[in-house]
Amino acid sequence: MSQELTRINDFVVKFANVNGSGSASANQLFARSILGMGVPISTRNIFPSNIQGLPTWYEVRVSEAGYLGRRGGVDLMVAMNPQTWDKDVASIDPGGYLLHDSTKPLPPSKFREDITVLGVPLTEIANRAFADPKQRQLFKNIIYLGVLSALLDIERGVIEDLIGKQYKGKDKLIAPNIQALDLGRAYALEHLDCPIGLRVRRADAVGDRIFVEGNDATALGCVYGGATVAAWYPITPSTSVAEAFAKHCNRLRKDKETGRNRFAIVQAEDELAAIGMVIGATWNGARAFTATSGPGISLMQEFLGLAYFAEIPAVIVDVQRGGPSTGMPTRTQQSDLLACAYASHGDTKHVLLIPEDPRECFEFAARALDLADRLQTPVFLMSDLDIGMNHWLCEPLSWDDTRTLDRGKVLTFEELEAGTPFGRYRDVDGDAIPYRVYPGTHPKRGAFFTRGTSKNADAGYSEEGSDYVANVDRLLRKFETARTLVPAPVIRQAARPTRIGAIFYGSTAPAMGEALDVLEAAGIHMDTMRVRAFPFHEDAFRFIAEHDTVFVVEQNRDAQLRTLLVNQGNIDPKRLIPVLHYDGTPITARFIAGEISHRLAASGDVARKELAS
Amino acid sequence: MSYLKPKLHHPGLPTNALGLTRFDYDGAVSTLCAGCGHDSISAAIIQACFEIDLPPHRLAKLSGIGCSSKTPTYFVGASHGFNSVHGRMPSVLTGANLANRDLVYLGVSGDGDTASIGLGQFVHAVRRGVNMLYIVENNGVYGLTKGQFSATADQGSKSKRGAVNTDAPIDVVSLALQAGASFVARGFSGDKSQLVPLIKAGLKHRGAAFIDCLSPCVAFNNHAGSTKSFDYVRDHNAALNRLDVMPPRAQITADYAPGEAQDVTLHDGSTVILRKVGAEHPVGDRVAAMNYLQERQAEGEIVTGLIYLDPEADDLHAHLGTVETPLAHLGTGDLCPGSAALEAINASLR
C-alpha cells in the first residue's frame, strides 16, 4: 500500500451517486460546510440526461490556494453507485481514500491495494433509524455526510447551521437531518481512524465572495439590464436562466401599488417562436432576451439573419453544451462559437460576449442588452454548462446606480416633431449605426417598413445592386464600431519576458490560471490573453504578433476560436497551436499543463528554454 | 398591379373623427396582379380603419412571407410594418404586443404562410389570446411560386395546370375555434359589405380575433375546378350574418326590429350588431359554431360572417398580469432594482 495522502485544505472529493436518489442536497451541504469554514471550493455536477437511475457525479475541489478549476484526479471517492464502482475506484489517485457502503460485504478483488478503504454500513444504519423507505434513502446521504465530517474534521456546528438555514420554515425536517448527521459522525468516530490525512482547517480565504450559479447570475444581469420580455423554450442547460429570471422578476419587478408585473415571460412553443417574440418585442421598443443552447441556436438561424439584416436588437443567451445534434445534453463544451458568430445564411457576423464566471455572466448580460440596443443587432452571451449549472465562487455582483439603460439611437416624438430628418438605414453619424423610431411614436413622421429583403437607406424595398452593397458594407462598418464597444481581452504578462503565449476564453479560465502556475513551477513562462468578445479587439491580434508560439486552448474538437482568429485576423494558421479538450467534462489544469509542456518538449527545433527566455 | 394613385383628392371628401380622409389610410401602390383578391382585402382594411377612426400610426401591421404578406405595404402607409419570415409572423406579433399593449395589432398572413410552416405559431398565438386581428388571405394556392396547391386547397380541386389535389384541406377557421380564438369569422374578398364590418369588429375586439378571408388568386386559382375561385365562392357562400359596428354612445337599437338583430357590446363600449341572414346561429356558443361549420361544410357550403364571438375575452397581458404602462415605455428607474437590492442578493449567496 502506498502512503496515504496527507493534505490540508487542498484535495478533491468526488461523489458517485444514482440520479434521483436525493444525493444532491447532501452533497451540496458538504460543499457549503467547507465554504463555511472559510476554505474556497469549486463544485462540478456531472450528470446524465435522465431523470432517475443513471450515474451522476458531484466533484468538490477544496483549495485554500483558491484554484477553482477542475484539477483532475480524485483524492477521496464516495462510491454510492454499484453501476460505476470499477470506474470510480480506478479514478482515485494513489494514496487516496474510498468511502463506501459496507452493508453488503464486497470481495477483496473489488478494492485496490494502494488506497485506503473506509467501509460504513450506511444502509444498515439508515434502515435501523428510519422506517419510511423514502427517508431511508434520503437520510443515507446525510449519514455519509456525517461520516465525512468526522473523517475530514469538518465542524459539526457549521453543518448544523446550514441544515437550519436550508429547512427554515420546514422545521420538522431539521431534527431527522441532524439525527442522520450524528449517526454518521458517531459511527465514524467509533469505528474509523478519524480524521484521515485529508483535512479541512478553518481559514479566512473566502473573503466576501459569493457562491452562485452562472445561469442565476445571467438572469440577474437581464433584470438589471432592463429586459422586460423573456421568451424561451426549455432546453438543458439554459432552462434555469429563464426560471431564475422569473424568480428574480417576481421579487424585484412588481409594481408596488398594483402588484402587477413590469415584465412578461412567455414559454414559447419552440425556439423559433422564442426568438421571434424577442425580435417583435425589441422592434417595438422593449428589451428582450431568450436563453437556449446549441440545438436552439440551430433553430433560430433564419430569424437571426432577419434581425441582423433588418437591424433589430436581440439578446441570445447560449448556454453551450456538447454538440452536434443532441450531442451530450448535460455535458459542457465551447462548440457553438462558429454557429453563433456566423449564424444564418448569407454574409452575417454577430457580436459575441464570452464570460469567464457568474460575475461576468451578470455584467455581460446587462451589457449585452445595452449593446444590442446601441448596435441594433443580435448579441450572444456565450456561457456554457460548466458556468451555467454549477455553483462558482466569485466576486460579488456590483452595480453602479448612476448607470442608465443605453437605448441607442432612437428618435423621440419631440425630435421628429422638430423636423429631425429620418431615414431608417442612413449612416448619419459615420459609425454605420442608423437611427430608428419605435412604432406609434409620431402621427406623421418616422414610420418605416421592416423587412428581411434588400432595401434602400430609407427602408424602401429595393433590388438595386448598389443599394444592397451600400447596405451590407455599412453593416460591415457597424461591426467595426462594435469592435470598439465590446469588452477588451484580458492580457496577463508572465513573471518573466517570454515568447510563448496562450489564448483562452470562458469557463477555461480557472483551470488555465492554475495551469500557468504549474507550468511556471516547471520553468515554462507564458503570457496569456483571455478573449472576452467577438469581434476581436485589436489587442488580440497584437498579442498574437508579439509571440512566436501561441497556444489556443478551448473546449471543442475543431478549434473554433482559432478558426475565428485566423479568419478575422488573416493569420497564418500554423502560428496558432490548438489545445483542445472536448469530452464533455470541464477542462482541467492537469490537462492544459500536460498538453502544453508536452507540445513544447516535442518541438525539437524550438527549445523550451529558448522560448521562455 | 401597376397603376398610379392620385395624390389630389376632392376637398369635400368625407372625414372621420380624426379629420382624416379615407386616402390618409392608403399605402403604396400594390404590386400584386390586377384583380387580386388581396387588393380587395387591403381596400377593406383601409375602409375599416378609416371608419373606426384608428390613428394610422397606432396600427402595427405584421406579416410573414408570400403574396398576402406583401400587402401591409399597400395599406395604412403611416403605420409601422414588419414583413418577417415565412410563417413566423405570429411570434413577432406576440413579442411586439408584449412590448407595447397600447397599439393595435394586425397580422396579415396567407394560407401557405399560416396553414403550412406557420401552423404551429398561428395556433399558439391564438391560444395565448394575443390581442390582435389575424387575417388569412386564403386563396388555396402558392401564387409567388406559380401555382402549387396550399394546405387549404380542397381535396379534389384542380390546379390551373389540371392537377388534382389529393390531400385533405386544413380548415383554419375550425383550427382557430379549436385553439380558443375569441373572435372567429370568415369573409370573402368579393363581398366587401360583409368584410369591412368584420374587420372593424375584429380590430376592436380584445383578444385573439381571426378572419379567414377567401381571396381568389386571379393568376393561378380562378378557373373551373377550383373551389377558391370568385364564381365558386359566390355560388356556395352561406352568409351567416351581416354586421354593423357602432361606436360607443351611438344610437343603435332603433335601427332594427326585435328578432332581426343581435347586439354585442365589446370592451371599448362599441357595439357589434349581427343581422341574421341565414339560419339562427348562437354566435356566443363555441361548440355550436364548430358544429354548424362542420354541417354546412358537409353540404358543400362555405360559411361566411361572424362565426364565434366572446365579448368578455381577456388577452395575453391580462393572463400575464402586466402593468398598464407599455413595457417598452418603462425606464431605468422602473426596471433596475439598484445596488442596494444587489447587495442583499450578494449577502444571500454567501
Side-chain angles (χ1 to χ4, degrees):
Chain A
M1 180 171 166
S2 64
Q3 195 172 357
E4 289 181 14
L5 289 174
T6 306
R7 293 200 188 118
I8 295 171
N9 291 350
D10 177 23
F11 53 88
V12 173
V13 181
K14 192 168 183 175
F15 298 83
N17 294 102
V18 178
N19 205 20
S21 62
S23 57
S25 176
N27 296 348
Q28 214 178 80
L29 270 174
F30 169 78
R32 286 179 185 275
S33 68
I34 297 168
L35 201 59
M37 289 181 67
V39 181
I41 55 161
S42 60
T43 61
R44 298 290 189 300
N45 278 297
I46 301 162
F47 57 102
S49 180
N50 172 271
I51 305 298
Q52 284 187 334
L54 289 181
T56 183
W57 292 271
Y58 184 72
E59 200 174 277
V60 179
R61 181 169 189 193
V62 181
S63 172
E64 188 172 354
Y67 293 128
L68 300 178
R70 277 187 82 215
R71 184 198 69 184
V74 179
D75 299 322
L76 166 58
M77 174 67 73
V78 182
M80 300 296 291
N81 186 357
Q83 229 182 321
T84 57
W85 175 272
D86 292 342
K87 183 179 169 185
D88 295 334
V89 172
S91 68
I92 301 167
D93 279 1
Y97 302 82
L98 170 70
L99 174 62
H100 74 109
D101 184 354
S102 61
T103 303
K104 287 183 183 169
L106 289 166
S109 61
K110 298 300 282 181
F111 301 101
R112 273 168 49 188
E113 288 190 354
D114 62 342
I115 59 174
T116 300
V117 176
L118 307 159
V120 179
L122 295 166
T123 303
E124 191 186 313
I125 298 171
N127 289 354
R128 241 191 346 250
F130 303 99
D132 178 59
K134 197 176 166 193
Q135 280 193 334
R136 284 175 171 175
Q137 173 57 48
L138 287 176
F139 289 124
K140 190 160 69 176
N141 303 320
I142 301 295
I143 292 168
Y144 73 59
L145 173 63
V147 172
L148 286 171
S149 72
L151 290 172
L152 302 175
D153 217 7
I154 300 171
E155 294 168 17
R156 180 191 172 283
V158 173
I159 304 176
E160 189 176 354
D161 286 350
L162 286 169
I163 289 173
K165 276 184 197 164
Q166 185 162 322
Y167 296 109
K168 196 175 176 186
K170 300 175 187 171
D171 292 356
K172 64 178 183 184
L173 293 174
I174 295 175
N177 271 282
I178 300 291
Q179 182 193 351
L181 178 78
D182 286 338
L183 283 170
R185 281 184 66 83
Y187 184 92
L189 290 169
E190 189 179 336
H191 298 93
L192 303 174
D193 192 10
C194 296
I196 57 172
L198 309 177
R199 288 178 206 177
V200 182
R201 187 172 60 202
R202 188 167 271 282
D204 189 16
V206 174
D208 70 344
R209 282 184 284 182
I210 59 172
F211 194 53
V212 63
E213 281 182 325
N215 284 353
D216 199 17
T218 298
L220 266 174
C222 291
V223 173
Y224 275 74
T228 50
V229 176
W232 65 291
Y233 187 72
I235 183 169
T236 302
S238 71
T239 298
S240 53
V241 174
E243 290 173 343
F245 184 71
K247 176 187 75 178
H248 292 303
C249 280
N250 277 310
R251 217 159 42 83
L252 301 167
R253 279 271 194 82
K254 293 266 187 192
D255 183 277
K256 283 192 180 124
E257 286 177 15
T258 64
R260 298 174 81 167
N261 300 326
R262 292 198 182 109
F263 59 91
I265 302 170
V266 177
Q267 183 184 319
E269 56 269 33
D270 52 41
E271 288 87 346
L272 291 81
I275 187 68
M277 288 178 202
V278 168
I279 288 169
T282 55
W283 171 76
N284 215 9
R287 289 200 151 181
F289 77 96
T290 186
T292 190
S293 180
I297 295 291
S298 297
L299 288 170
M300 293 176 183
Q301 298 277 316
E302 187 187 16
F303 257 136
L304 290 167
L306 173 79
Y308 173 78
F309 198 44
E311 300 182 64
I312 303 168
V315 170
I316 304 100
V317 177
D318 179 13
V319 188
Q320 298 171 88
R321 68 187 210 186
S325 188
T326 313
M328 293 195 291
T330 58
R331 305 299 156 98
T332 198
Q333 265 186 4
Q334 297 175 320
S335 53
D336 296 344
L337 229 55
L338 288 171
C340 292
Y342 301 132
S344 194
H345 54 272
D347 292 326
T348 53
K349 284 184 192 187
H350 300 294
V351 175
L352 315 179
L353 303 185
I354 313 169
E356 68 162 345
D357 65 1
R359 183 189 163 83
E360 276 195 347
C361 284
F362 172 79
E363 282 181 16
F364 288 6
R367 198 160 172 178
L369 288 156
D370 273 350
L371 278 173
D373 266 354
R374 166 59 53 186
L375 293 163
Q376 298 173 31
T377 199
V379 176
F380 291 79
L381 180 68
M382 304 298 293
S383 178
D384 64 24
L385 183 145
D386 187 13
I387 305 177
M389 289 190 73
N390 287 310
H391 279 81
W392 285 47
L393 195 61
C394 68
E395 293 302 314
L397 312 179
S398 65
W399 190 259
D400 176 359
D401 283 332
T402 63
R403 180 172 167 175
T404 55
L405 307 180
D406 177 2
R407 303 310 309 263
K409 297 183 183 182
V410 181
L411 291 182
T412 62
F413 173 86
E414 290 74 20
E415 287 166 325
L416 291 166
E417 186 70 10
T420 305
F422 172 66
R424 173 66 182 98
Y425 296 110
R426 291 184 200 166
D427 183 6
V428 177
D429 302 323
D431 58 2
I433 304 172
Y435 284 81
R436 62 179 178 140
V437 174
Y438 296 152
T441 300
H442 193 281
K444 294 197 171 141
R445 297 172 188 150
F448 63 92
F449 213 96
T450 301
R451 48 166 64 85
T453 41
S454 185
K455 56 260 177 185
N456 61 28
D458 291 326
Y461 178 82
S462 170
E463 294 184 24
E464 287 294 327
S466 55
D467 281 336
Y468 174 82
V469 170
N471 199 34
V472 293
D473 283 355
R474 183 179 53 75
L475 287 171
L476 208 53
R477 293 201 307 279
K478 191 166 83 168
F479 203 62
E480 287 303 310
T481 300
R483 192 189 305 281
T484 66
L485 299 175
V486 298
V490 177
I491 293 172
R492 184 178 121 169
Q493 303 277 334
R496 282 199 233 155
T498 174
R499 285 154 50 203
I500 311 174
I503 300 173
F504 65 101
Y505 58 101
S507 62
T508 305
M512 190 73 201
E514 183 178 359
L516 282 180
D517 289 351
V518 172
L519 290 166
E520 202 167 284
I524 301 171
H525 299 273
M526 292 197 309
D527 294 333
T528 61
M529 176 173 71
R530 180 166 68 85
V531 170
R532 298 199 295 169
F534 178 73
F536 302 117
H537 199 271
E538 284 303 326
D539 287 353
F541 302 116
R542 198 174 305 124
F543 180 89
I544 293 168
E546 286 171 353
H547 294 87
D548 295 332
T549 302
V550 180
F551 295 99
V552 183
V553 183
E554 46 187 324
Q555 300 185 59
N556 58 67
R557 186 196 67 179
D558 289 346
Q560 297 193 18
L561 179 69
R562 178 173 173 267
T563 301
L564 275 180
L565 287 165
V566 166
N567 282 359
Q568 298 297 310
N570 200 21
I571 294 164
D572 178 357
K574 287 183 206 146
R575 301 216 54 240
L576 301 177
I577 305 166
V579 175
L580 306 171
H581 182 277
Y582 46 89
D583 69 1
T585 60
I587 197 168
T588 64
R590 278 185 188 179
F591 174 84
I592 298 170
E595 284 289 307
I596 288 178
S597 55
H598 173 73
R599 307 281 179 97
L600 287 173
S603 56
D605 58 333
V606 187
R608 190 176 74 179
K609 287 196 175 169
E610 185 191 336
L611 277 166
S613 67
Chain B
M1 191 160 83
S2 51
Y3 66 88
L4 291 175
K5 290 186 179 179
K7 290 188 177 170
L8 291 173
H9 302 298
H10 192 281
L13 278 177
T15 55
N16 62 11
L18 302 173
L20 301 174
T21 71
R22 182 195 165 286
F23 292 101
D24 292 315
Y25 291 85
D26 264 352
V29 173
S30 170
T31 60
L32 300 175
C33 308
C36 178
H38 296 359
D39 282 333
S40 302
I41 300 171
S42 294
I45 291 169
I46 288 168
Q47 187 70 26
C49 291
F50 167 73
E51 288 182 8
I52 63 170
D53 309 317
L54 180 69
H57 72 297
R58 306 302 291 172
L59 177 74
K61 49 188 184 183
L62 298 99
S63 62
I65 295 290
C67 290
S68 59
S69 293
K70 288 158 77 96
T71 63
T73 313
Y74 314 140
F75 59 79
V76 198
S79 66
H80 274 68
F82 196 142
N83 199 189
S84 63
V85 296
H86 196 204
R88 267 59 65 77
M89 172 272 285
S91 63
V92 179
L93 191 152
T94 302
N97 187 296
L98 289 173
N100 188 347
R101 61 189 300 167
D102 281 357
L103 302 184
V104 174
Y105 293 91
L106 174 60
V108 179
S109 183
D111 41 303
D113 202 56
T114 289
S116 288
I117 187 170
L119 199 64
Q121 292 220 341
F122 160 59
V123 170
H124 284 280
V126 165
R127 84 173 171 91
R128 289 192 180 99
V130 177
N131 187 11
M132 62 178 174
L133 170 57
Y134 188 118
I135 297 178
V136 169
E137 302 186 346
N138 187 351
N139 56 19
V141 75
Y142 284 82
L144 275 181
T145 51
K146 303 193 175 177
Q148 299 78 25
F149 290 117
S150 84
T152 65
D154 288 313
Q155 202 163 30
S157 64
K158 282 187 181 168
S159 75
K160 193 177 179 182
R161 286 180 301 170
V164 176
N165 182 34
T166 56
D167 294 335
I170 288 173
D171 177 23
V172 286
V173 167
S174 299
L175 270 181
L177 280 168
Q178 183 79 43
S182 44
F183 176 109
V184 180
R186 182 183 283 133
F188 172 39
S189 66
D191 185 356
K192 201 173 167 186
S193 63
Q194 184 195 46
L195 182 58
V196 171
L198 282 178
I199 294 172
K200 286 163 68 178
L203 287 170
K204 283 182 164 290
H205 175 71
R206 187 167 81 196
F210 174 71
I211 301 175
D212 174 34
C213 191
L214 298 175
S215 173
C217 172
V218 289
F220 295 106
N221 212 8
N222 196 32
H223 47 267
S226 161
T227 58
K228 297 276 195 291
S229 67
F230 278 109
D231 288 345
Y232 186 91
V233 178
R234 280 203 185 95
D235 291 347
H236 295 80
N237 185 357
L240 192 58
N241 42 43
R242 293 279 168 186
L243 268 72
D244 286 305
V245 178
M246 305 300 286
R249 294 183 300 279
Q251 295 300 312
I252 49 169
T253 50
D255 290 351
Y256 307 98
E260 290 181 347
Q262 180 185 336
D263 299 351
V264 183
T265 304
L266 299 178
H267 279 287
D268 69 348
S270 60
T271 307
V272 175
I273 303 165
L274 298 162
R275 279 182 288 150
K276 301 295 179 189
V277 172
E280 284 295 319
H281 168 64
V283 81
D285 185 334
R286 189 184 294 272
V287 175
M290 292 169 92
N291 287 339
Y292 184 74
L293 207 61
Q294 296 295 323
E295 285 165 12
R296 303 323 304 162
Q297 202 164 296
E299 295 297 318
E301 291 186 351
I302 301 166
V303 175
T304 60
L306 182 58
I307 297 163
Y308 174 73
L309 172 64
D310 174 5
E312 304 299 323
D314 268 330
D315 75 338
L316 179 59
H317 278 283
H319 303 160
L320 295 175
T322 50
V323 289
E324 287 295 330
T325 307
L327 297 176
H329 295 173
L330 299 174
T332 305
D334 301 312
L335 301 176
C336 184
S339 61
L342 196 58
E343 268 314 305
I345 291 167
N346 280 327
S348 73
L349 295 169
R350 289 190 179 107

